[in-house]
DNA sequence: CGGTCTTTTGAGGCACATCAAATCACGTGG
DNA sequence: CCACGTGATTTGATGTGCCTCAAAAGACCG
């Protein structure tokens, strides 16, 4: 079961601005190309890495959509994030040289393999790359702060509204529509991420539809009233 | 209102093994001493940094106890963590050059100021330091995964049990008792961190006391039955 | 076209929130 | 040193948002 691999080059990658720092010269880019020489395909439902596996590389998502999730022995399951093209996955593995969660492809995907020891070497040479790595990790920390706020203080409608806004904003940054999106994950996975049961997710979708805020046809969602979603998230009624 | 500052040296700091990598030689340690040359005192209730402030430095806690929290315009408030001696605070600021949360001292505290640009310079020179910085950030990411699991899938008793076990474990690693601890935060702050209301925290404490699992006298907690706490966290009854 | 997985919707229950009040701890100033 | 005010904590009564259980409909796939 060897992973499928392909030759690759960051220097001519259209996602470069998402996963690489700006301000690198050609020579530096070529050095990075040598380090990030391998791509890997993951079929839908397949895992990029699993909890407990040795950590060697970070992965830059080129195409496809992933979830990361924790699974504990006692049967708890928590989706910790959804990742799309241009995002970096695998940061959890650095601290203990082993991954501490699973990364599962929600659709056929392709990632660039970035061996972490090579990345550290290059970081020591290129200040811009070093700072970029730091920023990526810091961004993930800040993102997780936001999820903690969501899980700790929001009600179901607020959580789902925030979730939709976040997804559509990230998709828009990648050139997709501001108002339409296709959910790559099930209601159950959304629920796990948001700390809700799948029935609650489904009911909340239905409520939004009734209120004319969104249209839902299966996994296809069209946002009719962004402002309504925003005002649900920035709810005034919880500051009493 | 200039912060109080003092000269400092990592090389003879008894917390070094907590916040610095092992395997540095004397020359390297001295270089770090020059970079981390300043300490800062924060009075109880004071802030080390606030949301929106420019980011310049990471802080290593020398003494005292902090909370970090998000506060949104709409009145939401979320404690994202509690930090104690030897822990690094401020990582959230790297990505946007501005802090995105508040760090508040819950008791009189003293921190070592580590200018981040100096830290990046030294990281380029000392592989061990570079890797250490990466590990610290990865550790924070993994910690937050755990909080997401807690907030997303645990019931009140499980959350509080996990919280107590985590606190006492960290205190024990610093030479304190395995079974006794003093809470530096209010019930409300615990509740905010755990996604619960302060009344629920108080009731759950009372329940644990009734069951003979802990003793509580104000902020002083004595753990009588660690195994009971562990089995509450590793609950079998939620895998049906 | 049958089987499986996903999603929706309903009915009822429960864990936690909310509201309220009393007690307690603590710091301050008389 | 005590009285007082303030904030923290506990406890009770009640409400409700989400969960649980259940069933049916719908989508997808071999």
């Amino acid at each position: 079961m060897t992973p499928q691999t392909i030759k690759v080059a960051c220097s001519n990658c259209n996602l470069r601005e998402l996963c690489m720092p700006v301000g690198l010269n050609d020579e530096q880019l070529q050095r990075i190309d040598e380090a990030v020489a391998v791509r890997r395909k993951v079929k839908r439902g397949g895992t990029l890495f699993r909890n407990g596996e040795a950590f060697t590389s970070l992965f830059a998502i080129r195409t496809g959509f992933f979830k990361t999730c924790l699974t504990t022995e006692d049967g708890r399951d928590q989706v910790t994030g959804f990742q799309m093209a241009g995002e970096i996955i695998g940061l959890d593995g650095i601290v203990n040289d082993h991954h501490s969660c699973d990364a599962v492809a929600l659709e056929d995907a392709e990632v660039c393999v970035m061996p972490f020891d090579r990345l550290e070497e290059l970081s020591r040479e290129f200040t811009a790359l070093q700072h970029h790595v730091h920023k990526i990790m810091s961004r993930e920390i800040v993102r997780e702060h936001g999820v903690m706020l969501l899980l700790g203080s929001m009600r179901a409608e607020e959580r789902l509204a925030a979730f939709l806004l976040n997804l559509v904003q990230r998709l828009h940054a990648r050139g997709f529509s501001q108002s339409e999106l296709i959910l790559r994950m099930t209601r159950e996975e959304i629920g796990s991420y948001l700390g809700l049961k799948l029935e609650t997710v489904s009911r909340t979708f239905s409520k939004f539809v009734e209120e004319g805020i969104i249209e839902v046809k299966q996994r296809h969602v069209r946002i009719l009233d962004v402002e309504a979603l925003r005002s649900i998230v920035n709810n005034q009624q919880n500051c009493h």
Side-chain angles (χ1 to χ4, degrees), chain A residues 12 22 30 34 61 72 119 172 178 183 186 208-209 218 234 236:
Chain A
N12 59 6
V22 296
Q30 203 181 329
E34 289 163 21
I61 301 176
T72 61
L119 215 52
H172 186 54
Q178 293 193 56
L183 301 171
T186 67
F208 286 172
V209 171
Q218 309 301 125
N234 298 3
Q236 299 310 315

Side-chain angles (χ1 to χ4, degrees), chain A residues 19 45 62 64-65 83 98 142 167 180 207 211:
Chain A
C19 52
R62 215 179 122 64
F65 201 91
Q83 295 84 17
H98 288 270
V142 170
L167 263 193
E180 273 181 78
K207 183 149 188 287
E211 292 170 346

Side-chain angles (χ1 to χ4, degrees), chain A residues 2-3 19 28 52 56 58 70-71 79 94 109 118 127-129 141 185 195 204 209 214 224 229 234:
Chain A
T2 62
C19 52
Q28 292 173 323
T56 59
L58 297 179
L70 301 175
T71 314
V79 173
I94 299 171
R118 297 286 298 120
T127 310
L129 182 62
I141 289 169
M185 68 296 280
T204 309
V209 171
I214 60 176
L224 302 175
L229 286 180
N234 298 3

Side-chain angles (χ1 to χ4, degrees), chain A residues 145-158:
Chain A
H145 282 178
V147 177
M148 288 170 66
L149 179 69
L150 180 145
L151 291 173
S153 79
M154 291 190 185
R155 295 176 313 101
E157 291 174 41
E158 299 165 347

Side-chain angles (χ1 to χ4, degrees), chain A residues 80-205:
Chain A
T80 56
F82 297 107
Q83 295 84 17
M84 59 180 72
E87 296 180 331
I88 307 296
I89 203 170
L91 299 169
D92 60 279
I94 299 171
V95 61
N96 295 316
D97 288 318
H98 288 270
H99 286 288
S100 60
C101 63
D102 301 343
V104 180
L106 297 181
E107 58 181 358
D108 291 358
E110 192 176 358
V111 300
C112 303
V113 179
M114 311 191 290
F116 191 62
D117 51 359
R118 297 286 298 120
L119 215 52
E120 286 191 326
E121 279 174 43
L122 291 172
S123 282
R124 271 175 259 135
E125 280 189 68
F126 311 150
T127 310
L129 182 62
Q130 178 195 36
H131 197 59
H132 191 68
V133 170
H134 292 156
K135 280 193 170 192
I136 284 171
M137 300 190 78
S138 176
R139 178 177 301 130
E140 175 65 7
I141 289 169
V142 170
R143 180 191 75 81
E144 293 185 5
H145 282 178
V147 177
M148 288 170 66
L149 179 69
L150 180 145
L151 291 173
S153 79
M154 291 190 185
R155 295 176 313 101
E157 291 174 41
E158 299 165 347
R159 294 184 197 192
L160 191 63
F163 171 73
L164 288 174
L165 288 173
N166 174 271
L167 263 193
V168 86
Q169 172 256 310
R170 283 154 67 201
L171 288 167
H172 186 54
R174 284 158 182 77
F176 294 100
S177 166
Q178 293 193 56
S179 59
E180 273 181 78
L181 66 157
I182 292 174
L183 301 171
R184 301 300 177 179
M185 68 296 280
T186 67
R187 303 288 190 263
E188 184 167 23
E189 286 161 337
I190 296 173
S192 172
Y193 182 59
L194 298 179
L196 301 170
K197 292 293 155 184
L198 68 97
E199 295 96 328
T200 304
V201 173
S202 175
R203 271 183 246 271
T204 309
F205 268 126

